[in-house]
Amino acid sequence: MSNRYPQGSLSPRQACERQYLVARSNLLLLIVFTAINLILLVTNANTYFLFSASIPYYIVTMGMYMCGRFPADYYADEIEGFIFLDNSVFVITLIIAIIIILLYLLAWFMSSKNRAGWLKFAFVLFVLDTVGMLFIFGLSIDSVLDILFHAWVIYYLVVGIRAHKKLMLLPPDEVPLPFTLETPENAENAGEESAPTYQNS
């Protein structure tokens, strides 16, 4: 870190690197909670975490519904005369959801070492997920928290992408000297660099 910055503060480069890291961390949390939600859904755990992509969850939900994998009380009166699809349809929807999650995971992994193109790829995927969520569920009281968390992730992805752009324009931080030369307390010329003094052992 350059000696120009006060102790404990970050240089502009370090600040941008931290913002990029926070964006990737939010992306990883999104991946983890989406995977957890799918596991909870498939096992009929009746629990849902908000920090999650919506489209994979919706796809698997529809597959489970059409294949009769929910408890009987979920269907109410519709179960009589309802023709469920083959279980292979559920498997297909689950595979599609897993592929989407793997795309997010690939973007997270490949975006390391400041490869922001993959972070942009994740941003596009999640924007499409947000548009799909709004199209399917609309604006309602039930979806407010989901919308807020989607906005949170989008915001930090944008911050990370902008931070990488700034990083490309910043010079590298100065490397501090491995030692400090001892100088006289009172130099004759205050505006000139004073010569170092050495002590005989």
Side-chain angles (χ1 to χ4, degrees):
M1 184 176 67
S2 172
N3 294 329
R4 291 176 297 171
Y5 307 105
Q7 185 176 4
S9 65
L10 299 176
S11 68
R13 171 168 289 276
Q14 289 174 320
C16 290
E17 288 174 345
R18 174 168 291 186
Q19 289 175 341
Y20 188 80
L21 178 61
V22 169
R24 293 188 69 242
S25 298
N26 277 277
L27 178 58
L28 182 60
L29 286 176
L30 166 72
I31 297 166
V32 171
F33 281 114
T34 302
I36 291 174
N37 278 340
L38 289 185
I39 294 173
L40 294 173
L41 175 63
V42 170
T43 57
N44 285 308
N46 199 27
T47 304
Y48 176 78
F49 291 100
L50 290 172
F51 211 94
S52 170
S54 296
I55 297 304
Y57 191 87
Y58 177 76
I59 291 174
V60 176
T61 299
M62 291 305 299
M64 293 185 65
Y65 179 81
M66 292 186 296
C67 297
R69 296 185 65 90
F70 286 118
D73 57 352
Y74 183 89
Y75 299 91
D77 298 332
E78 298 178 8
I79 196 169
E80 295 184 7
F82 193 93
I83 301 176
F84 293 113
L85 300 179
D86 187 78
N87 198 52
S88 60
V89 175
F90 162 70
V91 174
I92 292 173
T93 58
L94 185 59
I95 291 174
I96 293 173
I98 292 174
I99 290 174
I100 295 174
I101 294 175
L102 289 177
L103 287 175
Y104 281 113
L105 184 61
L106 177 66
W108 173 80
F109 180 77
M110 296 299 293
S111 63
S112 63
K113 298 181 181 179
N114 292 332
R115 289 177 289 195
W118 285 96
L119 203 62
K120 294 177 183 178
F121 174 71
F123 169 78
V124 172
L125 277 182
F126 198 67
V127 167
L128 292 175
D129 184 271
T130 305
V131 172
M133 177 193 67
L134 293 175
F135 179 78
I136 295 169
F137 301 105
L139 294 173
S140 64
I141 298 299
D142 295 335
S143 61
V144 167
L145 290 179
D146 267 321
I147 294 173
L148 290 176
F149 276 101
H150 274 65
W152 170 287
V153 174
I154 289 174
Y155 169 76
Y156 277 102
L157 288 177
V158 170
V159 169
I161 292 170
R162 292 181 62 186
H164 176 267
K165 186 176 180 180
K166 292 179 182 178
L167 274 174
M168 298 297 99
L169 302 176
L170 288 174
D173 283 346
E174 297 175 7
V175 179
L177 295 173
F179 59 89
T180 303
L181 296 176
E182 184 180 344
T183 58
E185 292 182 1
N186 298 315
E188 292 182 3
N189 299 319
E192 298 178 4
E193 183 179 356
S194 50
T197 60
Y198 303 92
Q199 297 178 350
N200 296 327
S201 56

